[in-house]
Amino acid sequence: MRSITTLLVLFLTALLSILPSSVQGAALTTSVDPHTRACFYAWVDKAGEKVGFYFAVQSGGSFDIEYSVLDPHEKIVVTGVKERQADLVFTGNSVGEYSFCFENSMSSFAVKIIDFDITVESEPRLTLPVSAAALLSEHSAPLEESISKVDSQLTQITRMQRYFRTWENRGFATVRQTLSKITWYSIIDMLVMIGVAVAQVYIVRYLFDKGSTKRYRV
């Protein structure tokens, strides 16, 4: 009985050790006014952690933004100008607070709406003794492979959802802009037609005015 309990404890410990790594993250939406800078922060507990940064401009102007990522020492990790979206993963080599900033300095009146998320991923360590891990490696390998495959498929699905959502918003914005242009063109065209008709009436009245001393042959 004791041996069965020991094996069960070892199996559960091994299962916990091969589960996907713990992730701290946040999925957010923010608006950046013209000529303003918005920054968000994430804390890295230890050197070597994986930091993920994704954003996509959903509306505003040409759907582009300036962005920069700074480490705790205010050094630039990555930066970009006139970027519509980005999906980055880098290693946090310094412990401390990382800054993720958006700057809307290119627009004079357009407010940029941005979807983004920041993740800090910590890789777990195997705490089992080497001998116990060796005993369970043969049984845990298929499970570990299945978990890794599911995690990869979920990541692909999430990225596809982000992609379709971004292009849906941009397509809707393009349709709305086109509709606005057609509406204003129709209004201007109607005003021009009314102006021409009114001008023709006054010209005809002027030419055929009875009080006029001039005669015109038609």
Side-chain angles (χ1 to χ4, degrees):
M1 182 67 179
R2 185 177 178 181
S3 61
I4 297 177
T5 304
T6 303
L7 290 176
L8 181 60
V9 172
L10 291 175
F11 179 78
L12 290 176
T13 307
L15 180 61
L16 290 175
S17 67
I18 62 174
L19 284 176
S21 56
S22 60
V23 177
Q24 298 176 354
L28 302 169
T29 299
T30 185
S31 61
V32 184
D33 295 328
H35 305 293
T36 59
R37 179 183 176 92
C39 293
F40 302 85
Y41 306 92
W43 186 270
V44 173
D45 295 326
K46 57 184 178 181
E49 290 186 337
K50 299 295 182 181
V51 181
F53 178 48
Y54 164 83
F55 76 88
V57 182
Q58 302 296 331
S59 66
S62 300
F63 300 93
D64 55 4
I65 197 75
E66 297 180 14
Y67 77 95
S68 60
V69 180
L70 306 178
D71 67 4
H73 306 292
E74 298 297 325
K75 294 182 180 179
I76 296 177
V77 178
V78 63
T79 185
V81 180
K82 293 185 178 181
E83 296 288 344
R84 293 189 169 190
Q85 65 186 62
D87 193 355
L88 311 171
V89 178
F90 62 91
T91 302
N93 295 319
S94 301
V95 176
E97 193 173 59
Y98 285 73
S99 304
F100 304 82
C101 299
F102 301 103
E103 187 171 356
N104 189 14
S105 60
M106 300 174 292
S107 300
S108 301
F109 57 88
V111 178
K112 304 295 178 67
I113 305 298
I114 304 172
D115 283 352
F116 71 98
D117 63 61
I118 302 168
T119 58
V120 179
E121 184 176 0
S122 302
E123 296 293 342
R125 301 293 181 180
L126 184 63
T127 56
L128 284 176
V130 177
S131 58
L135 290 174
L136 294 174
S137 61
E138 182 179 354
H139 301 285
S140 63
L143 180 59
E144 183 177 0
E145 183 180 355
S146 299
I147 293 175
S148 178
K149 185 176 180 180
V150 171
D151 181 67
S152 176
Q153 292 176 347
L154 289 176
T155 301
Q156 292 180 0
I157 292 173
T158 301
R159 290 183 176 180
M160 289 299 295
Q161 289 178 335
R162 289 172 175 173
Y163 175 82
F164 287 127
R165 180 182 178 185
T166 299
W167 281 103
E168 179 184 3
N169 291 335
R170 292 176 183 175
F172 179 75
T174 302
V175 171
R176 185 170 54 188
Q177 292 175 0
T178 304
L179 180 61
S180 177
K181 291 178 181 179
I182 293 175
T183 302
W184 281 108
Y185 176 80
S186 300
I187 293 174
I188 294 173
D189 186 46
M190 182 178 61
L191 293 176
V192 170
M193 292 179 63
I194 293 175
V196 171
V198 172
Q200 288 178 344
V201 170
Y202 277 99
I203 292 174
V204 171
R205 289 187 61 183
Y206 174 77
L207 293 177
F208 292 94
D209 190 356
K210 294 182 179 180
S212 176
T213 56
K214 297 181 180 180
R215 293 185 178 181
Y216 297 88
R217 179 173 296 177
V218 180

